[in-house]
Each structure stands twice: as C-alpha cells, then as structure tokens.
C-alpha cells in the first residue's frame, strides 16, 4: 500500500489535530496508508525553541523520505500563497521524483489574489504589473509556477475548489477529489514513460 | 568551480534583470560560478500562459539539477514569508543533498512578522496564538521551520540583515556575507561526516 505524506498547514489551526486525523482516516478509503503520526505534535521537553524546530524539521524530512506520495494542501495561508512549509515539502518530494498532488480550497489564479493584494494592477504588453512595477505572474496557475508547474507538467494534478470562507479548512471535498485522481493516476503509472 | 543556483524573487522586480546580473557577477569574487542565464527571461513565443509557465518550471528545475549549491534570497516577499517559488527551490535542492544557504534582508523572527500580520497575538502556555487561535510558530527562526531548520541544522547558514525598507532588494550586504560563509563552509566540507 502506497504511503502518503500529508503536507499542509493544518497543524497551525485550532482544531488541527482533529482535522489531520480525519484526513489520515480518509486515505484508507482510497487505498493509501498515512505516514506515521505527524511530528509537529511532539512534546518540546527540554529543547530550546530552535532545537525543537530543528527536531521537527528533521522528523518531517524523515517522514517524507519514507513516503511514496505527497498530497499537499495548497490553500492560501496567511497571505496570497500556500503555506511555505508545505511548499518546501512539495519541492522536496518532487526532487525525489515522488508523485505529488495538490488541492486548494481557493479557486482563483495566483494573479487574481496578487492583484487584490496590491489593490490594483495594470497591464503592460503581455505583463500584469503592480503599482510599483512588480511583475505579477500570470500563467493561469493556482500559485507560483514552480509549484503548479512542477506538479501539473508531470501529469499529476492540483485540484481547486470553491468553498465558503468559514469552510476553508474543514471542507475536504477537494482533498477527496485529489485522492481519487492520485489513486487512478498511480494505478496507470506504467503508462507514463517519463514524469519529468 | 562550484556552480551556484541563485534562488529569489528578483525576477519579479522592476529592475530584476539588472539585480540578477549584479548577483551573478559577485559570485566570481567568492570563487563560485553561476548556472546558465536564468530561464525566467525567456520569450513566450506562441506558448499559452500555462505552457510558458510549465516551460519555465522545467528549465529552472534543470538549472537546479545542474547546480552544486543554492543561495536563496529568503527576504519576505508579498507577505510575511519568503517567496514560495524560492521556497520550493530550497526544498528541491536540499532533497538532492546540495548545500543550501539563505539570506534575508529582514532581521525579524517569523513569529514577530506573523504577530504583526494578525494585529495581535496572545500567549497560552508556551504557545503564541493568533486572535483566531491559530498557532504561530515560535522557534527563533527567520521563517517556517522546514526552511530555516532544513538549512541550519545541516550546518549551513541563513544570514539575516537589517536594511532600510527602500534597500530591501538592492542591498547585497547579506548576500555577500552568506557567500563568504558558503565559501568557507564548502572549503572545509571534508570535516563534515553527515549533513543530515
């Protein structure tokens, strides 16, 4: 049974532990197994804050090293993009050639959220610019092209869903959808010659 | 000569090309070579926006695959954390075991920026919480623990500097400093038994 590393910012949420447990349980419905219990709920003990952080970093990397597949919650977190810890993990798993799928409970393109962040945006040639002249990536992608591009050009998927704001983290519809896609894609894995 | 992949959001800045050229030139002062010219300035041609994004994603990954070392600009970008494209690349390079160093022209801890983002934060036990009860990571680190922890626990470095806001991108003091550290660390590489 393929072992799935669940990447996402749920650990920071008030009911994160419960949410993560629900997600872990759902994996079995799609024929996947979760990695061992997530390291972020470790006790700190006598470690300094930095030592504790480094310990979690190491344990999360070890969980990823032992996983076969990554399912990443790329819903924007504290800003216009996905949680950076999650994004680190997506890059880490893709570099190992491990199938990585994402979902976001925000249906918009990155460019729409960035334009909103800047208050306004103008078009210059084929470029979208912030009021300060910063380029706003406009590739019809859910987030930065390294994330969306890295996933989608390998034939993996990034599912986007429209959810009520108060259901942004609780709604697991897109999560289930991407698990179904991952299951089907990995069943037909042998049809792909090259994922790069 | 070790080949350095320069990760950072400069490509989005109005004078990004000039800034990237300056950074590439500085590498030689420290005995490093840059990877071939950065892919983000490609011409789009007939590609659709998504195809073009996927092409850049592929080319950046190829540049990383051919590089020996990563130097990442982790200065907060459009929010409280580093640019997510850069963070993807840090995860990607670390997964390949390639020495990765970072710098940030913001000296603050992640927790300070997050508390500012939320407007206020409260302490509960040893936890820092947002008004909505979200946990704010507090490890004395520059950004999410996967980034700072992944770099620092391997004995690599993340240099933080205090710069005037209008010099946030132009000031290359911390960049030079981290190059010096990287040069010295990689010279004494044989003293490290294990970077994990």
């Amino acid at each position: 049974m393929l072992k799935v590393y669940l990447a996402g910012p749920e650990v920071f949420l008030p009911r994160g532990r419960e949410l993560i447990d629900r997600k872990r349980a759902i994996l079995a419905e799609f024929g996947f197994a979760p990695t061992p219990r997530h390291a972020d709920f470790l006790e700190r003990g006598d470690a300094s804050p930095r030592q504790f952080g480094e310990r979690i970093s190491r344990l999360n990397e070890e969980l990823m090293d032992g996983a076969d597949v990554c399912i990443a919650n790329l819903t924007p977190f504290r800003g216009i993009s996905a949680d950076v810890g999650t994004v680190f993990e997506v890059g880490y798993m893709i570099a190992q050639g491990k199938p990585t799928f994402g979902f976001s409970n925000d249906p918009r393109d990155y460019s729409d959220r960035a334009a909103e962040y800047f208050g306004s945006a103008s078009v210059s040639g084929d470029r979208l610019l912030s009021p300060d002249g910063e380029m706003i990536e406009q590739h019809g992608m859910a987030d930065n092209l390294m994330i969306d591009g890295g996933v989608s050009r390998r034939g993996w998927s990034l599912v986007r869903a429209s959810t009520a704001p108060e259901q942004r983290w609780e709604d697991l519809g897109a999560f289930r959808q991407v698990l179904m896609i991952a299951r089907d894609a990995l069943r037909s894995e042998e049809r792909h010659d090259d994922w790069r």
Side-chain angles (χ1 to χ4, degrees), chain A:
Chain A
M1 200 181 275
L2 292 176
K3 212 179 285 179
V4 169
Y5 183 83
L6 291 175
E10 286 86 350
V11 65
F12 303 116
L13 303 177
R15 292 194 294 167
R17 191 188 285 247
E18 177 194 325
L19 197 47
I20 291 169
D21 283 340
R22 276 172 60 206
K23 290 176 70 184
R24 291 168 59 87
I26 290 170
L27 290 179
E29 298 176 27
F30 296 88
F32 294 116
T35 53
R37 199 75 188 77
H38 199 280
D40 284 325
F41 295 107
L42 287 173
E43 291 303 316
R44 178 172 144 191
D46 289 336
S48 73
R50 172 168 284 274
Q51 284 170 335
F52 187 47
E54 292 188 358
R55 196 169 140 217
I56 299 170
S57 153
R58 179 194 290 265
L59 286 170
N60 282 341
E61 285 188 17
E62 286 172 358
L63 291 178
M64 288 192 281
D65 293 341
D68 304 299
V69 176
C70 179
I71 304 286
N73 184 348
L74 296 169
T75 306
F77 181 70
R78 298 181 186 169
I80 54 182
S81 281
D83 166 49
V84 287
T86 304
V87 171
F88 176 100
E89 294 173 345
V90 168
Y92 188 95
M93 291 295 273
I94 286 182
Q96 294 190 357
K98 294 180 178 171
T100 298
F101 298 79
F103 69 97
S104 172
N105 280 344
D106 185 321
R108 293 174 294 171
D109 281 0
Y110 172 83
S111 55
D112 295 327
R113 293 195 304 276
E116 186 184 283
Y117 171 83
F118 285 115
S120 73
S122 59
V123 176
S124 167
D126 60 354
R127 292 197 156 189
L128 189 65
L129 298 178
S130 79
D132 286 341
E134 285 186 15
M135 199 237 290
I136 298 175
E137 224 184 279
Q138 207 178 14
H139 296 290
M141 291 182 170
D143 210 321
N144 181 282
L145 63 85
M146 295 306 295
I147 307 168
D148 194 328
V151 168
S152 60
R153 73 170 217 275
R154 288 175 168 91
W156 304 330
S157 295
L158 201 169
V159 170
R160 304 192 228 175
S162 197
T163 51
E166 68 276 13
Q167 287 294 310
R168 195 177 184 77
W169 302 110
E170 305 285 332
D171 188 318
L172 297 180
F175 174 64
R176 284 177 180 276
Q177 201 183 331
V178 82
L179 283 175
M180 198 168 64
I181 291 170
R183 180 192 60 194
D184 294 346
L186 297 173
R187 268 188 191 152
S188 63
E189 187 172 332
E190 62 276 9
R191 291 206 301 269
H192 293 271
D193 294 319
D194 181 13
W195 270 337
R196 293 201 70 81

